[in-house]
Structures are given as C-alpha cells and as structure tokens.
Amino acid sequence: MRLHEYEAEEIFSKYGINIPLGGLAKTPQEVKQIAESIGVPVVLKSQVLVGGRGKAGGVKIVDNLDEVDIVADKMLKTELKGYKPEGLLVLKKVDIKKEIYLGITIDRTLGTPIIMISTEGGINIEEVSRKNPEKIFKFLVNPLQNLYPYQVISIVKKIGLTGEPLAETVIIIAKLYKVFREYDGLIAEINPLVLTEEGKVLCVDAVLEIDDSALFRHPELNKRKLDAMSERDKRLMKKGATFVKLNGNIGLVCSGAGLAMATMDMISDYPALSPANFLETGGGITSDLMVDCMELVLEQPKLDAIFINLYGGINPIHEGAKGIAKVIRERKLNIPIVAKALGNRQEETWETLEEVGVHIIKESETQKAVEFLAKLLGVKAK
Ligand code: GDP
Ligand code: MN
C-alpha cells in the first residue's frame, strides 16, 4: 500500500523529520487559506499515487497570492497520469541549495534493508540509477540489529556533506529507518532531501509504501485502505482473486495465475490482439464471484472479445458458469465470448455457457482456443 505524500509526511514528521510548513487542501478556497496563513511563495503539489509529478506538471510554485486559487483550481481538475488528485498539498516554498536523494528499500537478492543516498536528487533519479549507478551510495542494514547513526556517517560524507548538514542528515537517516521498520516498509523515500541556503536539511517529498502482508499490524492504515475500496473489490480480495487493468482489447477471465499469464502470452502472439486485463479468480469460484469478475472485465471500454480459460480441479467451474451466463443474459452481451473450460463437471459448464451463446472449445490446449478466437475476429499471427 502506497501512502499519499501528505500521509507519509505526517508520519515522517511524527518521527521528527523536518518538513516545510503547510497542509492538505481539497478546494481552491482551502488552498488560498493555507497560502495566506503560511505566506507566499508556496508550492502546490497534486496528491496522486504516482511519482514523477514534477515533470508531469503536478508540482507548481506560485509567487503571487492572487494567483493561488486560479492555479489550484486548474490543478485540482487536472488528472495526472490518469489519476484524479485527492487534493493539493500546499507547502511553504523552500530555497533549495542542493537536492539529495535518500531512499530505503529491501535488497531483493540479499533480503536485507538497503539505504541509498545520492547527490543527484530530484526529478532525474531514475536516469541516474540507469546511467550513473556509481553516483548512488549504498549501505546494507543488518535486519537483526538496530541501525546506529555512526554507521551511516561514511556514506553521507561520500556525497560531500560536512558539519551541521552532515550531522542532520545522519540523524534523518536513522529516523527514516525507524519509520521503515516500524511501518513494515517496502520503500521509504525522501527525494529530494533538501539542503537550504541557510544550511538546514528538509524533507521536500515523502514516499512510504507498506508491505500489504503486514497491514494487519497497522489497523488504522488497513481501515483506510478498506474504506477506499469498492464493495466489489473487497469481495474479490476476500476470495483471493487478483485483477490488474491493462489496455488491450481482449478481456480475460482465468482460473490461476500461471494459466492467466500463459493465456496472455498466447494472445499477444497476434499483433491485433492484446489483453485488456490480468484476472485470476483464485481457488474459490462461485457464481457470485464470476458475476463480479465479468463486471470488472466489462468496465474496460472497447473490448473486441472476452476469453475465458477455466480449469476445474477443486474449483466448481459449473457454478462459475452460472454467474457468467447471468451477466451475459442480463446485459444482453453480444460481443464474442470464447471459453475453454475443463475438469470437474465440465459437461454441465459447457451446457450452461452454450445456452447463452458462448463459443466452447473442448480441447485441452489453450493454444487451440486462442487460434479459434483469432479466426473468429479475423486476425493473423505474426
Ligand atoms: P515528484 O516529481 O513527484 O517526485 O515531486 P517532488 O515533490 O519531488 O517535486 C519535484 C521537484 O519540484 C523537486 O525535485 C524540486 O526540484 C521542485 N520542488 C518541490 N518543492 C520545492 C520547493 O519548496 N522549492 C523549490 N525551489 N523547488 C521545489
Ligand atoms: Mn520526488
């Protein structure tokens, strides 16, 4: 679960990391009120759960109080990378002397937390890690011990800090690591960590991503996540189904992640076809679950067909078929639907689906069913 910048800043601040003055606003009027109380210039920051806002126009500096609500109104209405902002964070503008990158994550190969710091902070850190990885200094933390500030002095020295800023940065790292540990973080990041003209060190952007498997240890955050989910998403999560929206033209309903991935690969062999989603039903198929699955798939505009690939080992696919048929009937669907459904009570499954016009492929190979789909749509393989 990734937190919004304003939520992460709240936590960082609770742990003693300095952030600029300001607050979250949901309307242009609120933005103006905050700007009035902290004074211009202010920075307005779109609260969306994606990075790279600076480059995409989601971070704006406003010098004039009279312009604040006009700029805010526009930003609140502007989607960023497809996401509608939850609000704007209004912060007192900081005079930046130097932008530093500071991040903590898990090194997947070694399985330990890793602290990274670089002089090349700001909006180009991804490029730095690709082109000049030697400019990022790393420190591996022993997960069985505490992190002591003295351990990270040498990497902070490597980025050229001395004196007060060196001491402050070392302490910020220790605090950020504490957040990372106590919140079961996957990523805790400050980019940029800013050295100001007055020699202060401030956190100007905050990212905190929490391991979903550990959310039960943070009831308040878990509740926030559930509150933000639709009832249907909650039902799907409870059943163990996984859905990822993609941008193709073929809706997919598959029982099993491996089956879904293989199906996606086979579909992608046809240049004119691509998956509109990844969907794996999990092991608890019921008629109701399949209604939810079908409706989720049908949310994608511009579908050319739906491809269903079910394998009934323990899964009662004949029950699932009833849910699929219900949606087709109620919505009077007329886009082509191809299904390969095998296993436990397959004959009943075929009958239910054939009754509502689904093309049933009775062979065991998914390949054959995909070839049928391609033929039906009149497209050729590469
Ligand atoms: P991101 O692009 O989504 O990571 O958004 P950031 O919050 O990191 O902001 C992007 C960039 O805007 C930063 O790297 C800074 O260069 C600039 N920026 C953000 N806040 C301030 C500020 O208070 N003062 C100044 N001068 N620049 C800022
Ligand atoms: Mn940033």
Side-chain angles (χ1 to χ4, degrees):
M1 176 190 187
R2 180 171 166 153
L3 301 186
H4 277 288
E5 181 188 15
Y6 74 92
E7 298 171 312
E9 284 199 348
E10 214 176 280
I11 294 171
F12 289 9
S13 163
K14 215 167 68 191
Y15 280 69
I17 297 172
N18 285 331
I19 55 172
L21 268 183
L24 179 76
K26 301 251 179 183
T27 63
Q29 293 72 31
E30 282 174 22
V31 173
K32 183 135 192 189
Q33 274 167 16
I34 297 176
E36 271 165 359
S37 72
I38 60 176
V40 284
V42 289
V43 185
L44 306 185
K45 309 178 83 175
S46 199
Q47 296 301 289
V48 287
L49 292 174
V50 285
R53 294 166 306 167
K55 280 186 180 167
V59 177
K60 294 224 153 77
I61 295 172
V62 188
D63 296 313
N64 190 336
L65 195 57
D66 295 332
E67 285 170 14
V68 167
D69 45 352
I70 304 163
V71 178
D73 185 50
K74 199 161 166 213
M75 285 179 81
L76 281 164
K77 287 179 182 150
T78 308
E79 278 192 2
L80 218 65
K81 302 186 178 180
Y83 295 90
K84 198 178 170 303
E86 200 179 284
L88 295 184
L89 188 55
V90 187
L91 296 175
K92 178 96 184 155
K93 185 193 159 200
V94 178
D95 287 328
I96 299 180
K97 186 171 168 199
K98 195 170 178 158
E99 297 196 28
I100 297 161
Y101 170 85
L102 172 62
I104 306 178
T105 185
I106 304 281
D107 183 307
R108 301 271 169 188
T109 323
L110 299 167
T112 64
I114 182 170
I115 298 170
M116 292 172 288
I117 191 163
S118 173
T119 47
E120 310 297 306
I123 56 180
N124 282 322
I125 189 71
E126 284 81 10
E127 207 178 308
V128 176
S129 85
R130 236 180 301 120
K131 291 190 184 152
N132 303 89
E134 77 286 353
K135 288 193 174 165
I136 301 176
F137 301 100
K138 296 173 180 172
F139 179 81
L140 290 168
V141 187
N142 181 338
L144 301 177
Q145 291 175 357
N146 287 329
L147 175 79
Y148 297 99
Y150 77 85
Q151 295 176 299
V152 291
I153 290 176
S154 61
I155 57 164
V156 182
K157 277 188 177 162
K158 282 188 186 145
I159 65 164
L161 294 185
T162 54
E164 194 71 9
L166 167 70
E168 267 189 60
T169 306
V170 164
I171 288 168
I172 289 173
I173 296 178
K175 288 172 176 167
L176 189 66
Y177 185 71
K178 197 155 190 270
V179 172
F180 183 79
R181 282 306 297 253
E182 291 182 5
Y183 277 85
D184 296 295
L186 292 175
I187 301 170
E189 191 181 78
I190 303 178
N191 182 32
L193 180 71
V194 158
L195 181 62
T196 68
E197 294 292 349
E198 305 85 52
K200 289 256 162 293
V201 184
L202 274 180
C203 160
V204 161
D205 185 16
V207 173
L208 183 58
E209 191 178 324
I210 293 164
D211 189 341
D212 279 333
S213 328
L215 267 184
F216 70 95
R217 286 206 282 246
H218 312 282
E220 187 209 307
L221 293 175
N222 200 18
K223 183 176 175 302
R224 211 181 288 177
K225 178 177 173 167
L226 291 174
D227 288 349
M229 280 170 91
S230 71
E231 288 306 313
R232 183 182 61 205
D233 287 352
K234 279 185 220 168
R235 289 198 297 269
L236 288 168
M237 188 177 76
K238 230 178 184 163
K239 283 281 180 188
T242 308
F243 177 87
V244 181
K245 183 184 174 308
L246 301 166
N247 289 316
N249 57 349
I250 307 297
L252 284 182
V253 179
C254 302
S255 65
L259 194 62
M261 298 295 276
T263 307
M264 288 164 75
D265 282 352
M266 288 178 204
I267 284 179
S268 302
D269 278 341
Y270 295 82
L273 307 182
S274 60
N277 64 276
F278 169 92
L279 169 58
E280 90 103 339
T281 60
I285 287 184
T286 60
S287 172
D288 288 344
L289 177 73
M290 292 311 254
V291 169
D292 283 336
C293 286
M294 285 291 285
E295 287 185 339
L296 195 51
V297 169
L298 286 164
E299 273 183 11
Q300 182 87 325
K302 296 180 292 193
L303 282 185
D304 287 330
I306 294 177
F307 188 83
I308 297 166
N309 198 354
L310 303 179
Y311 182 75
I314 44 170
N315 253 327
I317 54 174
H318 65 294
E319 282 298 324
K322 288 179 196 161
I324 296 172
K326 186 173 168 213
V327 175
I328 295 174
R329 231 180 244 120
E330 281 176 3
R331 292 224 191 182
K332 301 191 174 67
L333 287 187
N334 54 15
I335 58 168
I337 303 180
V338 175
K340 195 209 94 195
L342 289 179
N344 191 16
R345 303 177 74 163
Q346 60 190 25
E347 287 79 10
E348 281 170 73
T349 305
W350 296 341
E351 203 175 303
T352 308
L353 294 177
E354 271 171 338
E355 256 173 38
V356 288
V358 175
H359 302 274
I360 300 289
I361 308 303
K362 297 180 180 170
E363 312 213 33
S364 62
E365 289 162 67
T366 295
Q367 189 75 51
K368 290 275 176 3
V370 175
E371 280 166 15
F372 179 89
L373 171 78
K375 216 169 185 180
L376 196 66
L377 297 176
V379 301
K380 292 214 156 38
K382 341 189 206 261

